[in-house]
Amino acid sequence: MLGTLMETLAARSLWTDRTALAGSNELTIEVQDYVPFIQCKAKFQSPSFHVDQSIQLQVFLRADCPHPVSFNKLAVSFSNQEYNQWCAAKSQGPDSLTLLPGKTKCCNFSFVAKTEDVGKKVEITGIELVLGSDSGRCVFLSWRGAGGDTASAQEALQASRSSRRWWRGLGARQELDWDSLTVQHSTMIISRIPKISVHLSHQPPVLKNEMYCICFTVQSQEAAVAQDIRLTAGLKPGQDANLGLATHVTLDGSSVCDDGAPALLTDVPLGDLKPGEKLERCVFVRCASTGPRVFLFQVAYSIDTEVEGRQIVCRCHKDEMVTIETVVPFEVSVKFVSTKFEPLEQVAVDIPFLLMTDLVSLSPWPLMLSSSSLQLLTLSSSTTQLQSQLQHVVIQTGECASECFCLRCPSGTNSANTVATGQYLVSWRRYAHGPLIQTTVSLPHVILESVPVYITADLPSFGRVRESFPVRYHIENRTALVQEVEIAVEPSDAFMFSGLKQVRLRILPGTQQQMLYNYYPLMAGYQTLPQLNVCLPRCPDSNSLALRRFLPQHIFVKPQGRQLDDTSIAAA
């Protein structure tokens, strides 16, 4: 104990001698570069504060020396220097800013954040402790950041143990555990908690290319008027870039928006909202591709509030997000068939054929098909005007709507190519909801072929047993050469016929010949007609089956009816 007292007296004597020397009265020490005799730690009481809350800061000081230390001033510096004025303490009395050996002193500060710092961090850049008086010599102890020691852990531990031996005999009461105190050098300023509710109302899923309606309701629970309400709505940023190109948002749902509409509407003004008042709006979304999307609805507003007696204007926002799947409303299958509804792999030039479309609904909601049309390129219609067969047809999930068009490929078309046929257009919408949407389906390409001889037949729609009916065959030469045609009629068990059974014809280019037969049915039912074997000696590539595929193969034969006499009629 005597040795310690002697050391203290010697230290004071040396300090008195140094202060008596001429020179500057100010000495600055970077405490973190040495084993400290005063330790400092600072922490914000929370990693984040709302802008309408006062920011709480604590600075802990401890003297690791055998005698009390008085300081004149404590100042904290921040990344935003405008906050420095609120976190400075000066001595108000002889013991107000005195550190006792081994005791931890806590200095509390609070200040109000600026609204422009919302979303930013406030960081402690330094702490300064002033020893001495303004009129005499001053020692400035400074810590970088929020304090803590950067000296070696071993040296700090030895100094700490040495200082504890000095003050252990003085009697110590229960103190804060210095080693358990953590440093929190920064805090985040976040926006004020909004007191409004945002409710979304819609009917998922989204149908591809439709104007999908999302209604939202905003209701205020604020005690004051929510001013300058603004809406941000649409595709949440940060998703796949392709979704941004295929998503379009608008406030006008009366017509289908074009591709120039943005994926996200920002800062749409909605006016003011009184306490308890609500407003409703609708946003329309068009998705040009399938798959899930996350939509963001943000309602921001300003409100006047008071924090520690200061009036500030807070900007609040409420976010609602919803994930919606986009699906295909229907599938369209297209096929080409002959006039006998037989599948076609090739289309003959200038011979009628049928285009059949099947539209199957995949929508969970009813679809109203307003109209349909064809945009033909190479082909042409066999009728004067194509008329939609799907006008005002409503189909449910899984139902199919079909229509048929009679087309032909005009003569003169190069038959050596595969040609594009055109597009199939369907106008539709959700049943009794929204504007009409037009979906375009590309029709498949077709392979063209040329037919040297075209054969058709005129016959009645049905026959009757034991009653003859005429069948007239038309044989047309579609080449630039004189064609020799050999025709032979195959016998049939179901028919007798009269006419030339075998004949050889010569047909000039661009002309046709006719052959007339009388068929006499022998039995009722769906019967196979006597078939024509056609041979073209000058066209060895052609075959009989290919030439007669345009001819009818069957006919329905009714049973023979019994004539009613006058007595039977009277009895009936």
Side-chain angles (χ1 to χ4, degrees):
M1 186 69 179
L2 181 60
T4 301
L5 182 59
M6 294 297 293
E7 291 177 359
T8 303
L9 293 176
R12 289 181 176 178
S13 177
L14 289 173
W15 178 258
T16 302
D17 293 341
R18 297 302 297 174
T19 56
L21 297 175
S24 174
N25 290 332
E26 296 182 356
L27 179 64
T28 301
I29 301 175
E30 289 283 349
V31 183
Q32 286 167 310
D33 296 334
Y34 306 97
V35 176
F37 65 96
I38 294 179
Q39 298 188 59
C40 174
K41 292 183 179 180
K43 63 177 294 187
F44 289 101
Q45 291 189 358
S46 175
S48 63
F49 289 91
H50 294 284
V51 70
D52 61 336
Q53 294 177 321
S54 60
I55 300 176
Q56 304 295 323
L57 174 67
Q58 291 180 315
V59 179
F60 299 95
L61 299 170
R62 190 179 72 162
D64 282 333
C65 56
H67 53 81
V69 177
S70 296
F71 58 94
N72 186 42
K73 182 179 178 182
L74 172 65
V76 182
S77 301
F78 298 94
S79 54
N80 186 342
Q81 298 183 5
E82 296 186 19
Y83 299 136
N84 294 355
Q85 58 181 317
W86 308 108
C87 295
K90 289 187 177 182
S91 177
Q92 303 294 330
D95 297 326
S96 62
L97 297 180
T98 300
L99 300 178
L100 299 177
K103 306 293 184 181
T104 300
K105 185 177 184 63
C106 177
C107 298
N108 295 300
F109 301 99
S110 66
F111 59 93
V112 180
K114 295 184 174 297
T115 55
E116 55 265 26
D117 283 344
V118 172
K120 300 179 182 178
K121 278 187 175 182
V122 176
E123 297 183 355
I124 301 174
T125 58
I127 301 174
E128 188 174 72
L129 196 65
V130 181
L131 304 180
S133 61
D134 295 336
S135 58
R137 287 181 177 270
C138 295
V139 176
F140 295 90
L141 304 182
S142 62
W143 287 265
R144 294 184 297 273
D149 302 319
T150 60
S152 68
Q154 182 64 24
E155 292 176 348
L157 180 61
Q158 290 176 355
S160 176
R161 288 175 177 174
S162 175
S163 65
R164 286 171 187 152
R165 285 197 301 270
W166 292 337
W167 54 261
R168 187 180 296 139
L170 300 178
R173 57 186 176 86
Q174 186 69 27
E175 289 293 323
L176 291 173
D177 184 7
W178 182 262
D179 294 332
S180 66
L181 294 176
T182 58
V183 173
Q184 177 73 38
H185 75 284
S186 66
T187 188
M188 176 69 74
I189 308 301
I190 57 180
S191 60
R192 175 180 176 272
I193 298 176
K195 296 181 181 179
I196 61 171
S197 63
V198 179
H199 176 69
L200 303 179
S201 176
H202 58 108
Q203 294 181 324
V206 180
L207 302 181
K208 182 180 176 181
N209 285 324
E210 77 163 329
M211 295 296 290
Y212 185 73
C213 178
I214 303 178
C215 296
F216 66 94
T217 303
V218 181
Q219 186 169 14
S220 173
Q221 286 92 35
E222 296 282 3
V225 176
Q227 304 171 354
D228 190 24
I229 299 178
R230 292 184 176 271
L231 171 69
T232 297
L235 191 70
K236 181 184 176 183
Q239 301 182 71
D240 188 354
N242 293 327
L243 291 180
L245 298 175
T247 306
H248 311 284
V249 184
T250 181
L251 298 177
D252 181 14
S254 60
S255 61
V256 180
C257 63
D258 56 17
D259 294 340
L264 181 68
L265 297 175
T266 57
D267 291 335
V268 179
L270 300 179
D272 299 340
L273 203 60
K274 298 178 181 178
E277 192 177 8
K278 67 169 61 175
L279 62 85
E280 295 181 355
R281 293 290 188 276
C282 289
V283 173
F284 297 89
V285 178
R286 184 173 74 88
C287 301
S289 64
T290 59
R293 288 170 171 79
V294 180
F295 292 98
L296 168 67
F297 287 80
Q298 182 186 89
V299 178
Y301 63 97
S302 299
I303 191 165
D304 298 330
T305 186
E306 182 177 335
V307 184
E308 291 190 354
R310 296 178 58 192
Q311 291 289 335
I312 63 173
V313 178
C314 293
R315 191 69 180 170
C316 310
H317 64 87
K318 176 75 171 181
D319 294 351
E320 286 290 333
M321 286 179 287
V322 59
T323 301
I324 309 178
E325 185 81 18
T326 302
V327 299
V328 176
F330 51 79
E331 286 184 347
V332 177
S333 60
V334 180
K335 59 184 177 181
F336 298 104
V337 297
S338 67
T339 53
K340 296 186 295 181
F341 295 94
E342 296 172 344
L344 289 179
E345 296 182 357
Q346 296 179 333
V347 173
V349 176
D350 203 23
I351 295 178
F353 65 95
L354 301 179
L355 168 66
M356 299 192 67
T357 61
D358 295 324
L359 188 150
V360 180
S361 173
L362 303 179
S363 168
W365 313 103
L367 295 180
M368 190 196 77
L369 306 179
S370 175
S371 64
S372 62
S373 61
L374 289 178
Q375 287 185 349
L376 300 175
L377 298 177
T378 307
L379 306 179
S380 62
S381 173
S382 295
T383 58
T384 56
Q385 184 176 2
L386 289 175
Q387 186 174 2
S388 173
Q389 302 152 40
L390 302 182
Q391 289 185 352
H392 308 300
V393 173
V394 178
I395 56 176
Q396 305 289 337
T397 307
E399 291 184 344
C400 178
S402 303
E403 58 182 333
C404 179
F405 301 94
C406 185
L407 307 177
R408 75 167 60 229
C409 183
S411 58
T413 305
N414 189 353
S415 60
N417 297 329
T418 300
V419 297
T421 53
Q423 295 177 327
Y424 179 54
L425 284 67
V426 181
S427 296
W428 60 276
R429 66 181 178 187
R430 288 201 193 196
Y431 187 51
H433 176 74
L436 289 175
I437 312 300
Q438 187 174 78
T439 298
T440 302
V441 179
S442 296
L443 299 176
H445 287 52
V446 295
I447 302 175
L448 300 182
E449 66 169 340
S450 59
V451 178
V453 173
Y454 179 48
I455 305 176
T456 58
D458 295 337
L459 73 166
S461 57
F462 63 90
R464 193 182 298 274
V465 175
R466 301 185 186 278
E467 293 184 9
S468 64
F469 60 88
V471 177
R472 187 181 301 275
Y473 292 99
H474 303 268
I475 307 170
E476 181 182 356
N477 180 7
R478 293 196 168 185
T479 66
L481 302 175
V482 176
Q483 292 292 337
E484 292 186 0
V485 182
E486 296 178 356
I487 300 176
V489 181
E490 296 181 354
S492 173
D493 295 337
F495 290 91
M496 296 175 62
F497 69 91
S498 64
L500 297 175
K501 183 177 181 181
Q502 190 170 0
V503 66
R504 185 184 184 96
L505 302 175
R506 284 190 176 184
I507 306 177
L508 297 177
T511 63
Q512 66 176 9
Q513 294 284 348
Q514 297 183 7
M515 296 182 60
L516 180 62
Y517 290 88
N518 285 318
Y519 287 166
Y520 188 79
L522 300 178
M523 58 186 70
Y526 198 62
Q527 303 297 334
T528 301
L529 288 167
Q531 298 301 305
L532 267 65
N533 280 328
V534 182
C535 179
L536 301 178
R538 296 189 179 183
C539 295
D541 296 336
S542 63
N543 57 73
S544 180
L545 294 177
L547 293 174
R548 71 185 187 186
R549 70 180 184 267
F550 307 110
L551 298 176
Q553 305 293 320
H554 302 82
I555 191 172
F556 183 74
V557 180
K558 293 183 178 181
Q560 188 175 21
R562 187 176 63 181
Q563 297 293 333
L564 297 178
D565 53 17
D566 296 340
T567 305
S568 301
I569 295 176

